[in-house]
Each structure stands twice: as C-alpha cells, then as structure tokens.
Amino acid sequence: MAHPSDTVTTDISPTTHSTLLSDALGLLRRLDPGEAGAERALEPLRACHPGNRMRLLRHREAVDESAHFGLLITEPGAGTTTLSWTPERAVPWSLRGSQRTAESMLLRVNGEPLAIEEAMGYLDVLWEETRLLDRLVTMCLVRQELAERPVYLDREALQHAMDAFRRARGLLTPDATDEWMRERGLGIDALEDLVEREAAIAGLKARILAERPVDRTELDRARIVRVRFTERSLADAFVAMVRGRSGACDVRAVASAAAGAFAVASAVTGTEFLEVPADAVGRVAAGTVLGPDADGDGWSVAQVVAVFPATPGPNTERQLADLAFERWVADRRRDARIEWFWGPSAKTPTGPVGAS
C-alpha cells in the first residue's frame, strides 16, 4: 500500500503518474521476497518510465521474520513516492520497524556486549579523521546509485572478482582463506557479498567513466628537480646562472656548484627530485626552468627533466575510472542531504568528498 505521508504530488500528468503507480504496484505484488536477483525485475519498469529513478528496498520484519519489498520512485526536481504492498496476514507498513536487541549491538566479547552507540562514543577520534567520514558518505552515495541503477554481474565475473580479491590479500589456499574469514567473523555468504559489492563498485566506476570520459593526458607525469634558496635574490641569481649557460640547461649540474658560486654558504637549503602531474608544471617541455617561486620560508627553482605521457593499459584505465569517480562523488556530495546521528555536528565535513 502507498503510505500517505510519503507520497508527493508531482508535475507529471495524472495519466502517466497513474500508469506508473499501477505498473509499480503490479510489480510489487509479483515479487517473491525469497528470490535472488529481484532487482532485475525492476528493469522493464525503468525502461517504460525512464524519467524516474527507482530503488527497490527489501525489508525484513523482526516481529515475524517476514520479508517485503518497498519501492522508491523519484522524479528529479519534483519528489519521491514510496510504494509498498503487504500480503494478507503479514505485518503492514504502519506496524513495521520493531527492533531486536541484536540490531543495535555491534559485537559481544566473552558475553560482554557493545552497542553501536557506545562504540561510536569510544571512536570519538573518528571525528578528527575527516577522510574516514568522507568515505562513509561516499559509500552511502554509492549504495543509493547501485540501488537505483544496479550493476549486474554474471557468475563468471563474480568468480573472477573472487579470485582477484583472494590474490590481492595473499589468500592463495583454502586454509588461508578460511583463517582470514575466521579472524573477521565472516561466513562464506558474507565473503561472497563483500566480493560482489567490490565488483559492483568497480563496475560502477567503469560506467561513470563511460558516461563522463576523462582525457588520458590528465594522467601525464613530469619529473622535476627542485633547488631551494633562503632568499629571493639568491634564487634570481641562480636562475640567471642556469639560463646564461651555453648548451642544454642542467639545474642539477649548476646546483652542485651553487654553494661555491654564492657568497652566502647557506644559500642552498636543499635539492630534491620529484614526479608530479604534468599539469602542475604547465605541461612545459623537458629542460624548461621554472621559478623562482615562494616556497615556505624560502624560494625554489625547478627544472623539468622529463615528461612521461600516460600509456594505454589496464592500470591507466583504473586511474581514469578513479578520477571520473572522484568527480562524480564530488558532484553528488554537493547536492546531498547529510544527517549525522552521533558525534559533534560541528565536526561534520562540509567540503567535497574525496574517494579512495
């Protein structure tokens, strides 16, 4: 049944809205809560009503262990309709939500229980690690996207994902895998769910990259050498010395003799070799001298030693997918409504979410 308080009047025509609700209700009545892959049954409805986002929710009732489906239908810019259907003699919508003690418990050690809210109090340090908080928000955004636009994996893809998961963690034998699962309190079903979730996220990243391409040149790298000076005048003199040399400029060679060339013995405070994105140095050619630039309490001069274009391959594709995913998350974060139910709200990060 549609819960009255969750239904929002939309701007679409009454006929279209009525047809959508009728089709959706028919789908819910046909779904078997015990059937795996029920999300696939939603695809024909999505195809018939492409202007709406849809998310299928599975709810297991603690009172009688029965399971039911709910459906969220979102019209962008208008609102969300929540639809559910309850078979005869099952717990209806208004009576759901009873919570068992185990659902609020995080773990128990030697019979000593630890509730989730207690654990959050012990983990106050989490509020100092905004990167961890960002990842929690990111996972919520990912779960929402995968619920509305699932990534389907066949048996072969899941087996490949499981093999890759085990190799990445050194779980090369059944005994090693069993020990790893025991240490984490995981059963085989939980392990398969974990692997399937990781594979779905990888599929999501690939889909985002296809929809929001990233230019491969953004991954080009530049190798530079940087020399630091205590004063701007010393850095200027060093640049003039490098550029005044005949033949190819070589900051490293000049830097090795710089201390003797300057009257101040402590003029050079350090020399370092770095690899940075080519964009960070303006995509200049190898041999170009940059600076001087303010650098902390001193000044630095750099020279581009070499530029390395990104080459096609699996590693580059993964980096491009990660970059596209980071930008997708940042866009979603700006439009997200985020509510924290524990910890000091003043510490809640408000900037773009980093994805890692």
Side-chain angles (χ1 to χ4, degrees), residues 150-284:
V151 171
Y152 297 117
L153 303 165
D154 58 28
R155 183 176 296 275
E156 182 179 355
L158 287 174
Q159 184 59 56
H160 178 75
M162 177 65 77
D163 294 341
F165 182 92
R166 293 178 58 187
R167 283 196 305 271
R169 291 158 180 80
L171 308 177
L172 305 181
T173 66
D175 288 344
T177 303
D178 289 343
E179 178 64 22
W180 186 89
M181 292 167 58
R182 278 196 300 273
E183 290 175 353
R184 291 158 179 79
L186 298 177
I188 185 62
D189 290 341
L191 176 62
E192 290 177 349
D193 288 344
L194 176 61
V195 172
E196 184 173 2
R197 183 166 61 248
E198 284 200 359
I201 292 174
L204 172 60
K205 289 183 177 182
R207 185 172 73 196
I208 291 172
L209 178 61
E211 295 174 349
R212 306 171 58 156
V214 177
D215 192 333
R216 193 173 69 221
T217 61
E218 292 192 43
L219 299 181
D220 292 350
R221 307 289 291 178
R223 187 170 297 163
I224 67 172
V225 58
R226 184 164 60 195
V227 185
R228 286 194 173 91
F229 297 86
T230 55
E231 298 177 24
R232 171 64 186 263
S233 60
L234 298 173
D236 287 334
F238 179 71
V239 170
M241 179 184 295
V242 174
R243 290 175 176 164
R245 290 170 61 92
S246 59
C249 296
D250 190 341
V251 165
R252 288 168 293 185
V254 178
S256 64
F262 295 110
V264 182
S266 61
V268 179
T269 61
T271 302
E272 59 184 344
F273 298 89
L274 304 169
E275 190 169 293
V276 299
D279 286 337
V281 293
R283 294 190 168 274
V284 296

